[in-house]
Amino acid sequence: MDAKILVVDDEPEIADLVEVYLKNEGCTVYKCATGGDALRCVRTEQPDLAILDVMLPDMDGFSLCAEIRSAHHFPVLLLTAKVGDMDKITGLTIGADDYITKPFNPLELVARVKAQLRRSTRYNDAERGKANRDVIDIGGLTVNRATHACWLFEKPIALTPIEFDILWMLCENRGQVISAERLFETVWGEKYLDRNNTVMVHIRRLREKMGEPSRNPRFIKTVWGVGYKIE
C-alpha cells in the first residue's frame, strides 16, 4: 500500500500508534497536531488520504474536513470519541468518506484506509479514462469533445459546431477513410443526397482554419472517390 497518509490528532499516543500500523503497510505518514498544520501539510505534501480527529485544539475536525474538501478530493476518515448518530451524519454531510470511533482497533482502521484508497483509485482511473476519451491528440492537433475546443500546435482554432463535429469524427476514426455520405448523415443527421458538396465545403474551411495546403494537407487527407481521413 504505497500511499501518503496525513494523520491529524493532538494525542501523540494515538498518532504514533496509527503511524506504526500504516508504516508497516508501506505508507508514508505525516503527523499534525493542529488543523492549521494539517492544511499546510495538505498544500505541500498532497496526501492520498487524511485521518482527522474531530477534537483538535484550534478547530474541530468537521471544519478541517470542510476546508480540505473545498479544494481536494482525496478520501477523508474522521476519528472521534463521540458515538452519536448526529456526529456521524455531520461528518458525512460535510464530505468525510468514513467514520470510526475511539477506541478503535488499529487493524480495522488499516482495513478502512485500504478500502478507501482502492475506491479512490478506481474512481480516479475512471475519471482519467473518461477524460482521455474526451481528448484526442494527433501530432500536435488536439480536440476536446467536452469543451468543443481545438488547438493546433498549442494555438487555439475557432471552429463552428459542425466543423468541430466533422474534425472529431475524423480524429476518433484515425487512419480510417470516412465517406462524405457517412460524415454528412452522422454530423447533420439527415439523408445524404448525390452531388451534395456540403461536406467538401466544410472540409475546405477546416483546412483553411488549420493553415493546411489544399494539395498536400498534413492532417485531413482526401482519398479520391472514397472519402476523407486523418493519419
Side-chain angles (χ1 to χ4, degrees):
M1 186 172 60
D2 182 16
K4 297 189 291 185
I5 310 295
L6 170 63
V7 177
V8 187
D9 200 309
D10 62 338
E11 296 181 64
E13 320 80 59
I14 300 286
D16 292 345
L17 177 65
V18 173
E19 178 184 29
V20 168
Y21 276 84
L22 290 176
K23 280 191 170 181
N24 285 340
E25 295 292 334
C27 296
T28 300
V29 179
Y30 304 96
K31 295 184 295 183
C32 296
T34 67
D37 287 344
L39 290 173
R40 283 187 285 274
C41 183
V42 166
R43 288 193 293 270
T44 57
E45 304 300 337
Q46 300 181 348
D48 299 304
L49 181 145
I51 301 171
L52 314 179
D53 185 24
V54 168
M55 303 299 291
L56 295 171
D58 56 342
M59 69 169 69
D60 62 68
F62 298 135
S63 300
L64 176 56
C65 180
E67 286 277 342
I68 291 173
R69 189 54 77 230
S70 67
H72 303 277
H73 301 289
F74 57 77
V76 174
L77 278 69
L78 291 179
L79 292 179
T80 182
K82 298 180 180 180
V83 295
D85 287 340
M86 286 307 298
D87 291 313
K88 182 174 182 179
I89 291 170
T90 299
L92 297 177
T93 299
I94 50 88
D97 296 276
D98 204 354
Y99 193 95
I100 190 167
T101 56
K102 298 179 181 179
F104 57 85
N105 183 331
L107 293 177
E108 179 186 356
L109 178 63
V110 169
R112 299 223 188 159
V113 167
K114 287 182 176 180
Q116 288 300 325
L117 288 173
R118 284 195 300 270
R119 181 200 62 78
S120 178
T121 299
R122 285 196 300 268
Y123 172 80
N124 289 332
D125 287 346
E127 288 299 301
R128 280 191 292 269
K130 179 180 177 182
N132 289 339
R133 289 193 296 272
D134 282 341
V135 178
I136 298 176
D137 191 310
I138 300 176
L141 173 65
T142 304
V143 286
N144 187 321
R145 182 169 55 179
T147 60
H148 267 232
C150 175
W151 300 268
L152 184 59
F153 303 119
E154 300 184 358
K155 293 183 179 180
I157 302 175
L159 301 180
T160 67
I162 290 292
E163 290 166 351
F164 182 90
D165 288 346
I166 292 173
L167 186 59
W168 176 265
M169 187 172 178
L170 292 171
C171 289
E172 194 174 32
N173 295 277
R174 178 181 182 180
Q176 300 179 37
V177 180
I178 309 297
S179 67
E181 177 180 356
R182 182 181 168 193
L183 275 168
F184 184 84
E185 293 186 350
T186 300
V187 173
W188 278 266
E190 300 175 10
K191 185 66 177 176
Y192 181 82
L193 300 176
D194 289 341
R195 299 183 181 179
N196 187 334
N197 293 325
T198 305
V199 172
M200 182 181 68
V201 171
H202 280 78
I203 292 289
R204 186 192 310 141
R205 289 177 181 171
L206 268 171
R207 286 173 173 161
E208 289 174 355
K209 289 185 176 183
M210 295 168 65
E212 292 265 78
S214 57
R215 291 190 176 182
N216 188 28
R218 176 174 179 178
F219 291 99
I220 303 176
K221 309 284 189 180
T222 299
V223 181
W224 295 108
V226 184
Y228 306 92
K229 70 175 180 177
I230 282 186
E231 296 179 326

